[in-house]
Amino acid sequence: MKEKIIILLGLFFTNCFAIDLQKANTYNDEIHEIKNWYMSEKLDGIRAYWNGKELLSKNGNKIYAPKWFTKNFPIFELDGELYTKIGDFENIQSIVLDKIPSREWKQITYNIFEVPNTKGDFLQRLEKIKTWNKLHKNKYIKIIPQIKCENKIKMNRYLEKLINQKAEGLMLKNPDLQYFSGRSSNILKVKNFNDAEAKVIEINYKNNKFKSLVLKMSNNVVFNLGNGFTKEEKINHPKINDIVTFKYYGLTKNLKPKFASFLRIRKKE
């Protein structure tokens, strides 16, 4: 009984410190009507929440940003992405998740897509940080440009443009709502492929050389991942219990990812 009480208390305090941010669903052309929503580039960085005093990861863990980076940040909340450029996730991850902040933070900018717990609709909330940034001119804070999506044709053209630039995809948002938290179909992510995370539970070798990873997804589906690795990654491949991110194109009838390809090791945020 005592052990159960300790476990329950642990869960209680964990939930108390969790950050309930907005979370996107995946866009479905058949069911989602997105006329006059706003769209923006989906940045492949590290999501960060500014609580007015410090930066926290989406899991509520402290991000050890240098004091000079956050020195002149506003006293109100912000939600955004710590980012450098397209195709630079591994570099971003190594800089942002290091507990000893380095000078490399000069590469990073904080790209804002939401102002939590502020009154008004989406554009009115963004206006708050735009007004603040005009007055303070903080070079580390950027506001992600929002484009009105008049129809699905315009959305697809913008998506094609981003994909051609090697971007990850785009985000869609219903602009008419007051601030809300949690997962919602009023925020949608649009990509030309899916991605997911899984745990390495075994490693396959052939003739003493790396062949593939055996991965276990959160739904307990197990599959082999052998595609997408560079020569260096085959030598210094992920280890057992590592969490890896992979991309795929749909699921088989057994719910295994189709044409899965390795993207990166995902560090704990």
Side-chain angles (χ1 to χ4, degrees):
M1 177 62 74
K2 185 177 180 180
E3 291 180 353
K4 288 183 178 179
I5 292 174
I6 292 173
I7 291 172
L8 288 172
L9 284 173
L11 290 172
F12 173 77
F13 285 112
T14 297
N15 290 332
C16 279
F17 291 105
I19 304 173
D20 191 16
L21 299 173
Q22 294 181 345
K23 301 177 182 67
N25 282 325
T26 300
Y27 172 73
N28 185 324
D29 184 65
E30 296 181 357
I31 64 174
H32 292 130
E33 177 52 60
I34 46 81
K35 183 178 180 180
N36 293 328
W37 284 26
Y38 276 78
M39 56 187 181
S40 60
E41 179 181 347
K42 187 180 189 302
L43 303 183
D44 190 17
I46 299 292
R47 187 172 185 179
Y49 163 70
W50 172 253
N51 65 5
K53 296 180 180 179
E54 61 181 349
L55 285 170
L56 301 173
S57 75
K58 62 184 180 182
N59 296 319
N61 297 317
K62 179 180 175 64
I63 293 175
Y64 294 88
K67 290 182 179 179
W68 51 259
F69 185 86
T70 59
K71 181 180 178 181
N72 295 317
F73 275 25
I75 59 172
F76 52 86
E77 298 169 76
L78 297 172
D79 192 2
E81 202 88 359
L82 294 167
Y83 183 71
T84 55
K85 60 184 179 181
I86 290 173
D88 199 34
F89 181 82
E90 283 77 10
N91 180 44
I92 299 167
Q93 182 175 244
S94 66
I95 295 170
V96 171
L97 299 185
D98 193 339
K99 291 187 177 180
I100 301 175
S102 68
R103 294 180 63 186
E104 300 304 313
W105 270 86
K106 290 185 179 294
Q107 302 177 45
I108 303 291
T109 55
Y110 188 29
N111 297 263
I112 308 304
F113 51 69
E114 184 55 270
V115 185
N117 300 309
T118 290
K119 292 182 180 180
D121 62 25
F122 179 47
L123 296 184
Q124 289 171 332
R125 296 195 299 272
L126 285 182
E127 194 58 37
K128 182 175 181 177
I129 182 60
K130 287 180 180 180
T131 300
W132 181 91
N133 216 29
K134 285 178 183 177
L135 294 172
H136 297 83
K137 301 185 185 304
N138 189 305
K139 66 179 181 179
Y140 295 115
I141 289 181
K142 294 185 178 181
I143 295 91
I144 299 176
Q146 301 291 330
I147 302 170
K148 191 170 186 178
C149 182
E150 296 170 355
N151 51 54
K152 293 180 180 180
I153 294 174
K154 189 168 182 178
M155 182 201 74
N156 286 325
R157 286 175 180 168
Y158 185 47
L159 177 63
E160 183 179 5
K161 177 183 176 181
L162 292 173
I163 296 302
N164 288 338
Q165 294 172 351
K166 308 299 183 184
E168 189 176 84
L170 63 82
M171 300 297 297
L172 291 164
K173 192 161 188 175
N174 183 344
D176 299 326
L177 304 179
Q178 297 287 314
Y179 181 76
F180 60 89
S181 60
R183 192 168 298 282
S184 171
S185 288
N186 286 293
I187 312 174
L188 301 169
K189 54 186 175 182
V190 190
K191 298 188 288 185
N192 67 343
F193 63 85
N194 298 306
D195 60 23
E197 295 178 354
K199 184 177 182 180
V200 180
I201 60 172
E202 192 177 335
I203 301 172
N204 294 322
Y205 296 93
K206 185 176 182 180
N207 299 327
N208 294 321
K209 293 184 178 180
F210 171 79
K211 181 181 179 184
S212 63
L213 304 175
V214 182
L215 301 182
K216 185 176 184 180
M217 300 175 68
S218 59
N219 60 0
N220 293 322
V221 170
V222 175
F223 70 101
N224 290 343
L225 180 69
N227 295 325
F229 297 93
T230 64
K231 289 182 179 179
E232 290 184 358
E233 288 168 343
K234 288 181 179 179
I235 296 171
N236 300 305
H237 55 74
K239 305 296 188 292
I240 290 177
N241 291 326
D242 278 348
I243 303 297
V244 302
T245 304
F246 60 92
K247 65 179 181 180
Y248 65 100
Y249 298 83
L251 300 172
T252 68
K253 62 180 180 181
N254 297 319
L255 301 181
K256 294 186 178 182
K258 288 182 181 178
F259 312 114
S261 181
F262 175 76
L263 287 176
R264 65 181 75 97
I265 297 174
R266 187 83 192 194
K267 294 182 180 180
K268 184 177 180 182
E269 295 179 15

